[in-house]
Amino acid sequence: MKLLPFIICLGFSLAACEREKRDFRTAPVSEESQEKTALVSLSPGSSPPEQEVSGKARSFEGNAYHLSQGKRLYAWFNCNGCHANGGGDSGPPLMDDRWIYGSSLENIVQTIREGRPNGMPSFRGKLPDDQIWELAVYVRSMSGLEPKAAAPSRNDDMHPLPSENRMPPSSPVPGGSASPSATAPQ
Amino acid sequence: MRLRIVSIASLVPLAGCKGWQSALDTHGPGATSLEKLFWIFLFILTVVWILTMLGLLVALRARRDAATDPLAVDATRERTMTRTVATLVGLTAVTVLALTGFSYAYQKRLFDRTENVLTIKVTGHQWWWQVDYEDEQPNRTFTTANEIHIPVGEPVRLKLEASDVIHSFWVPSLMGKMDNIPGRQNVIELQADREGVYRGQCAEFCGWQHAHMAMLIVAKPKAEFENWKNQQIASASPPSDDAQKRGEQVFFTSPCVMCHSVRGTSAGGRVGPDLTHVGSRLTLAAGTLQNTRGNLAAWIVDPQRIKPGTNMPLMQINPQDLDLLVSYLEGLK
């Protein structure tokens, strides 16, 4: 009889077995998740401006593996060539609260896949869909929009700010807010 | 009957003692001194083990009279017993000291350093080896992957690094193993005394495809080595026939260019192995496949089936383009 509570307690430990789910065999490069995104709150007809199609956002948000993989890809594919370590260089900063093309995961995926005017290249057909999503969650984690427990930790090399998981979350401003340098007296 | 089967089966592992990847079939000073050390240890420890077992057997066989008091001391034998125990303790101390001495003497040689030798940086990645040949002249440095060519009979210095997790560089026939640790550099020197191809493997569990992370060491005469080096330093030869030209276009418009570099072209990815002279290598995918046309095509079509979890993604490519792409890559000699 005394054994029963012990066995039940042991059973609870099974809950820890599957902390995170991910596909080990990812989709080929040509496959794309067709999330419908919008930069305005208006849409024609009865459909809402944003629609979830593949549901990937839910499996990627807060997933430690995808976040850390995104961090590797960020350097591998030379995102830091323009955006530096998130502070921005010839490209806009990624760690502030200013989102020119939307802060949602779907928006960022679209930005990476389609490219944006004034320099952001399109990565369509060059990166597998899952890697684009991984990059997008990492970009979101830079401004503290991903859970601290999952965000990747400090870099081995120089970093202008504390690690992502120690950053306070900044609430996104749709359409972007003027940066401090723009509001300062000229 | 059963004994015969067991004894024959127990001989099977001996097959592993010969071949291109064996710590007991050595062709370099480092591995040879380790092999000698191994045999010395094996001999001394076998003798010690047999003596211990004999002693135990004698103790088990000895009968003791149940009536006598076990704590009673026989005054005539006490002195002999003390001497025997003291001798055995002394012998043990000498054996341990001798083994430590051998160990020191042989391992000291492993860390001897010679000046002005060929220096190669070997970086472990999940799951392949990046090989950078260093040179005083910057235009004579080059990068290759999973294959290290060395001149025979000369010491070669290897700087071991890692980019992601801890790996371990081990070519059993030439040298003991040494870890590749992210953020630091370990240095070993190895030498091959005989021409040939030696196989090495990652010896530190580094993830899913740890078992498919091998490399080849090709030892060849100095003149041949210099030829090979000059050929590797050269940029990729431009595509010669029509199929290769079209294959090059496929390469530049497909995801390949995100990660791979081909020197002499605009492909400069630093993530995957350098493909400048991929056609001249012996194996593909870190010693997993022979470098043949069929294997190359299979690897491009579905790397995730051959090495699940590898960073090379799946890409859908139509058969015509695949054929052209393989022709182009094959031509990169």
Side-chain angles (χ1 to χ4, degrees), chain B residues 96-255:
Chain B
V96 169
L97 278 176
L99 286 178
T100 314
F102 282 128
S103 189
Y104 173 74
Y106 282 103
Q107 291 199 32
K108 198 168 149 297
R109 279 186 221 166
L110 295 184
F111 299 102
D112 282 349
R113 293 281 171 266
T114 31
E115 290 306 312
N116 299 323
V117 291
L118 176 69
T119 308
I120 305 166
K121 192 172 88 182
V122 181
T123 314
H125 300 279
Q126 279 175 324
W127 293 279
W128 60 283
W129 303 91
Q130 181 186 333
V131 183
D132 297 286
Y133 279 74
E134 296 188 349
D135 201 290
E136 281 173 8
Q137 289 168 271
N139 64 344
R140 303 221 2 113
T141 60
F142 64 94
T143 305
T144 178
N146 304 323
E147 207 170 292
I148 305 173
H149 289 239
I150 56 172
V152 75
E154 271 181 38
V156 176
R157 183 174 301 174
L158 299 178
K159 297 176 173 175
L160 306 177
E161 293 180 6
S163 69
D164 33 40
V165 298
I166 300 179
H167 302 275
S168 187
F169 181 92
W170 192 27
V171 186
S173 304
L174 299 181
M175 185 65 191
K177 65 182 89 163
M178 178 65 89
D179 280 2
N180 298 48
I181 300 170
R184 63 171 287 173
Q185 193 176 64
N186 285 335
V187 179
I188 56 169
E189 260 181 40
L190 59 76
Q191 178 180 333
D193 291 332
R194 197 192 62 172
E195 266 181 65
V197 181
Y198 305 95
R199 192 172 184 274
Q201 215 166 358
C202 180
E204 175 75 43
F205 181 68
C206 59
W208 198 354
Q209 291 302 325
H210 164 64
H212 290 142
M213 186 174 165
M215 98 291 290
L216 294 180
I217 310 273
V218 182
K220 46 174 79 172
K222 183 84 176 164
E224 256 180 70
F225 169 76
E226 288 300 334
N227 280 343
W228 174 85
K229 190 175 172 186
N230 289 331
Q231 177 243 332
Q232 294 286 317
I233 288 169
S235 299
S237 46
S240 49
D241 58 28
D242 190 45
Q244 289 186 0
K245 270 180 199 150
R246 283 161 65 202
E248 191 183 32
Q249 287 310 308
V250 175
F251 184 83
F252 285 117
T253 49
S254 68

Side-chain angles (χ1 to χ4, degrees), chain A residues 12 15 93 112 133 160 163:
Chain A
F12 281 127
I112 297 172
W133 283 86
S163 61

Side-chain angles (χ1 to χ4, degrees), chain B:
Chain B
M1 190 59 211
R2 186 178 284 173
L3 189 70
R4 190 178 297 171
I5 294 173
V6 170
S7 55
I8 290 173
S10 65
L11 290 177
V12 171
L14 287 179
C17 297
K18 281 271 166 203
W20 66 348
Q21 184 182 348
S22 168
L24 297 178
D25 186 8
T26 57
H27 297 286
T32 308
S33 73
L34 283 174
E35 192 193 1
K36 278 182 190 157
L37 199 59
F38 169 76
W39 288 117
I40 291 171
F41 265 71
L42 190 70
F43 174 72
I44 294 180
L45 296 184
T46 308
V47 170
V48 169
W49 184 77
I50 289 173
L51 289 177
T52 314
M53 285 301 138
L54 282 177
L56 270 175
L57 211 65
V58 170
L60 275 174
R61 283 297 175 94
R63 297 235 165 240
R64 197 177 57 216
D65 213 345
T68 52
D69 176 13
L71 292 178
V73 180
D74 184 354
T76 51
R77 287 181 61 196
E78 195 185 2
R79 211 178 160 80
T80 340
M81 291 305 283
T82 314
R83 273 187 194 156
T84 317
V85 170
T87 315
L88 287 178
V89 168
L91 263 180
T92 310
V94 167
T95 315
V96 169
L97 278 176
L99 286 178
T100 314
F102 282 128
S103 189
Y104 173 74
Y106 282 103
Q107 291 199 32
K108 198 168 149 297
R109 279 186 221 166
L110 295 184
F111 299 102
D112 282 349
R113 293 281 171 266
T114 31
E115 290 306 312
N116 299 323
V117 291
L118 176 69
T119 308
I120 305 166
K121 192 172 88 182
V122 181
T123 314
H125 300 279
Q126 279 175 324
W127 293 279
W128 60 283
W129 303 91
Q130 181 186 333
V131 183
D132 297 286
Y133 279 74
E134 296 188 349
D135 201 290
E136 281 173 8
Q137 289 168 271
N139 64 344
R140 303 221 2 113
T141 60
F142 64 94
T143 305
T144 178
N146 304 323
E147 207 170 292
I148 305 173
H149 289 239
I150 56 172
V152 75
E154 271 181 38
V156 176
R157 183 174 301 174
L158 299 178
K159 297 176 173 175
L160 306 177
E161 293 180 6
S163 69
D164 33 40
V165 298
I166 300 179
H167 302 275
S168 187
F169 181 92
W170 192 27
V171 186
S173 304
L174 299 181
M175 185 65 191
K177 65 182 89 163
M178 178 65 89
D179 280 2
N180 298 48
I181 300 170
R184 63 171 287 173
Q185 193 176 64
N186 285 335
V187 179
I188 56 169
E189 260 181 40
L190 59 76
Q191 178 180 333
D193 291 332
R194 197 192 62 172
E195 266 181 65
V197 181
Y198 305 95
R199 192 172 184 274
Q201 215 166 358
C202 180
E204 175 75 43
F205 181 68
C206 59
W208 198 354
Q209 291 302 325
H210 164 64
H212 290 142
M213 186 174 165
M215 98 291 290
L216 294 180
I217 310 273
V218 182
K220 46 174 79 172
K222 183 84 176 164
E224 256 180 70
F225 169 76
E226 288 300 334
N227 280 343
W228 174 85
K229 190 175 172 186
N230 289 331
Q231 177 243 332
Q232 294 286 317
I233 288 169
S235 299
S237 46
S240 49
D241 58 28
D242 190 45
Q244 289 186 0
K245 270 180 199 150
R246 283 161 65 202
E248 191 183 32
Q249 287 310 308
V250 175
F251 184 83
F252 285 117
T253 49
S254 68
C256 310
V257 284
M258 291 299 291
C259 300
H260 294 288
S261 56
V262 176
R263 274 175 281 131
T265 70
S266 59
R270 289 304 209 155
V271 181
D274 184 298
L275 298 181
T276 312
H277 298 287
V278 67
S280 71
R281 289 187 209 142
L282 297 167
T283 61
L284 293 170
T288 312
L289 302 168
Q290 292 290 315
N291 191 359
T292 62
R293 191 179 167 85
N295 282 343
L296 187 56
W299 174 250
I300 295 168
V301 164
D302 198 349
Q304 297 293 332
R305 189 167 297 274
I306 295 163
K307 269 172 95 164
T310 178
N311 280 313
M312 180 145 155
L314 283 175
M315 62 167 192
Q316 260 162 3
I317 182 168
N318 64 47
Q320 291 84 15
D321 283 353
L322 178 67
D323 196 45
L324 298 171
L325 183 57
V326 170
S327 299
Y328 170 63
L329 291 174
E330 262 191 330
L332 295 173
K333 292 283 182 195

